[in-house]
Amino acid sequence: MLKRISIGAVAGALLLSAATVASAQAASHDGTCNGQYGGNGELCLYYNSNQAGAIHDFAADVSNFAGYTFIGPGAGAGTGVKNNAASVTNKNGLRSATVYYNSNYVGASDYVAAWTSMNLSATYNNNASFRFNV
């Protein structure tokens, strides 16, 4: 009987540990720029230059920024992301990303290497989509 209780306690502890790890990983669109140097991470767009102001974080490609808003605090909170981002951070340690001037991944673009931050130039305040590069 004692052996069954011990096995049950260990199994319960393992399940609780797995749930804690899953909940510790922040979700996309939560206003926190999360990443892993050797794994998947988010692309984070900022309202101001030099990674300042409100933020919006994306864990997957977005063909059109319409409907997404910057999350505060900071300048630009509540403003639509489309055509309003000035800087970017790529916290995906494995893949570079490209921010595009137009929706559906076309037009002028800014290349963002893995694990870097930069001010946008070709798409400064004129950005409508992005995708992680293969």
Side-chain angles (χ1 to χ4, degrees), residues 55-90:
I55 183 177
H56 199 99
D57 53 313
F58 300 94
D61 301 355
V62 176
S63 64
N64 189 342
F65 290 143
Y68 294 99
T69 57
F70 285 104
I71 300 166
T79 302
V81 172
K82 189 170 185 175
N83 297 325
N84 286 308
S87 61
V88 63
T89 293
N90 181 0

Side-chain angles (χ1 to χ4, degrees), residues 4-101:
R4 284 187 186 164
I5 292 172
S6 295
I7 291 171
V10 168
L14 288 173
L15 286 173
L16 180 59
S17 174
T20 301
V21 168
S23 66
Q25 296 173 348
S28 184
H29 317 299
D30 68 355
T32 304
C33 197
N34 298 296
Q36 300 172 351
Y37 187 74
N40 293 327
E42 298 176 328
L43 183 90
C44 306
L45 294 171
Y46 296 85
Y47 183 77
N48 289 335
S49 297
N50 303 314
Q51 295 70 52
I55 183 177
H56 199 99
D57 53 313
F58 300 94
D61 301 355
V62 176
S63 64
N64 189 342
F65 290 143
Y68 294 99
T69 57
F70 285 104
I71 300 166
T79 302
V81 172
K82 189 170 185 175
N83 297 325
N84 286 308
S87 61
V88 63
T89 293
N90 181 0
K91 286 245 181 143
N92 189 310
L94 299 176
R95 298 167 69 190
S96 61
T98 304
V99 178
Y100 294 91
Y101 185 89

